[in-house]
């Protein structure tokens, strides 16, 4: 992280979300086409993902802390078994689909639930490299997430690029709190879609990704996306299946791998940040 | 139900279990290749199934009361949000995979959970025609299930063919209790697999099903099976995918439909039993 070096974490969200996503992420990890992923402990297929992580210690797997269940027909809910979760769920016991409901959740219930998610991952045999947040739900409870990151001594995804409704001023407060606890986070987090305009196909999406790579700023950047196979299961879950399949293909593409080499981009994982945060000698 | 008439309920278990199973059962219901199904409220895809049931009132949909989560990588747990479920779940909050654990569950927790499953189905817009039980777990709590069937005035799957470890004597007690509450149940329940010997292909499986149909006894018989499409999702869930795909194909097969006609088998649903139980005039 010195001078103008560009370090890149190539990160897949949603490990455990469904079988098609598990198959994709396991393949990308095995091929080293991505350098990191985060596990959605709450999802129906999380055990498959967790078992893969537990039996492949080289996988860089964090926890995708989850407070929403956003698809119409395929659902999940809290894992906390020891406390009240009634402000976290809808009438069916699922997490709400949208962030507005999450914003109204009881803070103590949020804290207990995210701790339960990390503890469940540990019980499943996962040694998490970091934590991040599904759909950015942590933005409503950033202090809680930073305190939990400190408890487990884990780095945390944190973006200084303000999302809508979130001021730069409050982001500076968050950064100050994280710094005061010794929590590491990337210099940049990029979550742009690779399909930038409706109707773009694979080649345009790949070119958008290449442009992103060429435009990377110095420092540590996390580039996050949602790769998946495009099976009947995924198509039943989400209309975004085509984008997710492209996101599976793009970082396996020899042309993209060549760009990363040409641009002298150094690919790292979150484990490197965790090692620094924990003072682990190389 | 008079003389030697043979009435047949062609029933698919596991509606809601996964997307591939939902796709199969919806198609079979639309084609009238099956006459009944039961919803697994607890499963990740239950809302898809429940919405289909709610928007197609002709579908004959009961509740597949569930106390087990039997696959290694794809899991579910209780829906009861208002009471303790700690004897119903494993360390991850899932139902146990095997019936031995279910047998040790707290009776009051079982009662509250199965009521919560029925109430959740009602909230999802399902008007259940009957109740039955996933993996026969109700055999440990038959009195509870009969009392719940009486509360909702629903018929109940109940087999007088004793499964291993269950004596004819206790079945007679169960029948006596159901009779005393006015709960209807079929004369026969047939849950034989269509693949009777390892290595049998589709044609042998179909022939086994035809032999079953030809050998039907007089009275009301429920013939139950587990049809599904054989997608990557199903193959990720269970090694039984080939049998489940055959079970999808067999009752759509013109030869099987012709046998049902030739044999003068009258196909009915559970709704007919519910109507009789409730004294509904035709």
């Amino acid at each position: 992280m010195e001078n103008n070096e560009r370090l890149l974490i190539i990160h897949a969200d949603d490990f455990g979300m469904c079988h098609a996503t598990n198959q994709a992420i396991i393949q990308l990890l095995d091929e080293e086409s991505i350098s990191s992923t985060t596990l959605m402990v709450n999802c129906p297929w999380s055990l498959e993902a967790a078992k893969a992580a537990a039996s492949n210690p080289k996988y860089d797997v964090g926890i995708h802390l989850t407070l929403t269940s956003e698809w119409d027909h395929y659902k999940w809910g809290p894992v906390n078994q020891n406390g009240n979760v009634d402000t976290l769920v809808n009438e069916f016991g699922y997490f709400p689909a949208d962030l507005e409901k999450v914003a109204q959740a009881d803070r103590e219930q949020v804290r207990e639930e995210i701790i339960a998610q990390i503890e469940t991952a540990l019980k499943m045999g996962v040694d998490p490299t970091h934590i991040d947040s599904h759909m950015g739900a942590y933005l409503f409870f950033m202090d809680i997430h930073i305190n939990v990151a400190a408890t487990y001594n884990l780095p945390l995804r944190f973006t200084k690029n303000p999302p809508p409704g979130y001021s730069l001023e409050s982001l500076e407060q968050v950064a100050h709190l994280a710094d005061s606890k010794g929590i590491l986070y990337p210099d940049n987090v990029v979550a742009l879609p690779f399909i930038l305009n409706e109707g773009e196909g694979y080649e345009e999406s790949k070119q958008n990704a290449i442009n992103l790579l060429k435009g990377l700023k110095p420092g540590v950047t996390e580039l996050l996306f949602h790769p998946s196979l495009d099976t009947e299961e995924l198509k039943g879950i989400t209309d975004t299946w085509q984008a997710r399949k492209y996101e599976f293909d793009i970082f396996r593409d020899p042309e993209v791998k060549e760009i990363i080499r040409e641009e002298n981009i150094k690919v790292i994982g979150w484990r490197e940040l965790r090692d620094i945060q924990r003072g682990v000698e190389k």
Side-chain angles (χ1 to χ4, degrees), chain A:
Chain A
M1 280 187 276
E2 49 190 40
N3 307 328
N4 288 322
E5 197 171 23
R6 297 184 299 171
L7 306 176
L8 178 64
I9 301 171
I10 307 176
H11 179 89
D13 275 7
D14 292 7
F15 197 31
M17 194 273 276
C18 67
H19 184 53
T21 297
N22 285 350
Q23 290 177 291
I25 291 178
I26 288 169
Q27 186 175 337
L28 293 173
L29 287 167
D30 284 339
E31 294 172 355
E32 301 183 2
S33 297
I34 59 174
S35 64
S36 165
T37 188
T38 32
L39 175 66
M40 293 179 78
V41 172
N42 304 67
C43 291
W45 285 92
S46 62
L47 260 184
E48 181 180 54
K51 284 182 184 174
S55 55
N56 292 280
K58 74 164 188 166
Y59 287 179
D60 190 313
V61 179
I63 313 297
H64 201 49
L65 297 168
T66 299
L67 297 169
T68 49
S69 177
E70 69 272 33
W71 313 116
D72 285 347
H73 294 142
Y74 175 65
K75 307 302 287 181
W76 52 79
V79 296
N80 180 25
Q81 299 176 56
N82 301 316
N84 198 350
V85 295
D86 62 358
T87 71
L88 305 181
V89 299
N90 69 10
E91 61 181 330
F92 301 122
Y94 305 134
F95 286 136
D98 47 66
L99 291 170
E100 286 71 17
K101 288 275 177 58
V102 174
Q104 298 157 21
D106 176 81
R107 285 173 52 85
E108 180 58 19
Q109 291 186 20
V110 168
R111 197 184 70 82
E112 289 182 9
E113 171 61 21
I114 67 174
I115 290 172
Q117 291 179 22
I118 296 171
E119 290 293 329
T120 300
L122 293 170
K123 271 196 282 189
M124 288 178 173
V126 177
D127 175 25
T129 55
H130 69 295
I131 58 180
D132 57 24
S133 168
H134 188 55
M135 295 172 63
Y138 64 172
L139 292 173
F140 305 112
F141 311 100
M142 210 65 208
D143 57 327
I144 296 173
H145 284 71
I146 288 171
N147 284 325
V148 168
T151 301
Y152 292 93
N153 203 357
L154 294 171
L156 174 71
R157 173 187 296 164
F158 168 66
T159 170
K160 288 179 177 172
N161 311 310
Y166 211 76
S167 73
L168 257 179
E169 193 179 335
S170 59
L171 286 172
E172 274 167 24
Q173 291 170 356
V174 170
H176 182 74
L177 181 60
D179 292 342
S180 75
K181 303 267 183 183
I183 306 298
L184 292 189
Y185 50 90
D187 299 297
N188 313 293
V189 176
V190 178
L192 286 180
F194 299 131
I195 299 178
L196 289 177
N197 300 293
E198 204 180 336
E200 286 182 344
Y202 178 69
E203 288 303 323
E204 293 94 333
S205 301
K206 182 169 79 172
Q207 196 55 53
N208 293 335
I210 288 171
N211 294 341
L212 266 178
L213 290 169
K214 288 184 173 174
L216 279 187
K217 293 176 190 158
V220 175
T221 298
E222 183 187 32
L223 177 57
L224 69 97
F225 46 98
H226 302 84
S228 186
L229 302 190
D230 57 347
T231 64
E232 284 300 307
E233 178 197 27
L234 186 73
K235 291 176 183 178
I237 294 172
T238 171
D239 290 342
T240 67
W241 61 268
Q242 182 64 78
R244 288 174 185 245
K245 177 57 163 53
Y246 289 164
E247 294 179 15
F248 172 71
D249 292 327
I250 285 171
F251 285 87
R252 311 181 62 227
D253 193 304
E255 192 183 343
V256 173
K257 287 178 186 281
E258 182 57 30
I259 295 287
I260 292 171
R261 273 191 297 272
E262 277 175 17
E263 293 279 323
N264 287 317
I265 295 165
K266 186 178 175 195
V267 176
I268 64 167
W270 278 90
R271 187 173 280 117
E272 282 86 332
L273 295 192
R274 188 183 70 174
D275 283 349
I276 295 167
Q277 180 170 323
R278 291 183 175 178
V280 174
E281 297 286 334
K282 294 234 175 176

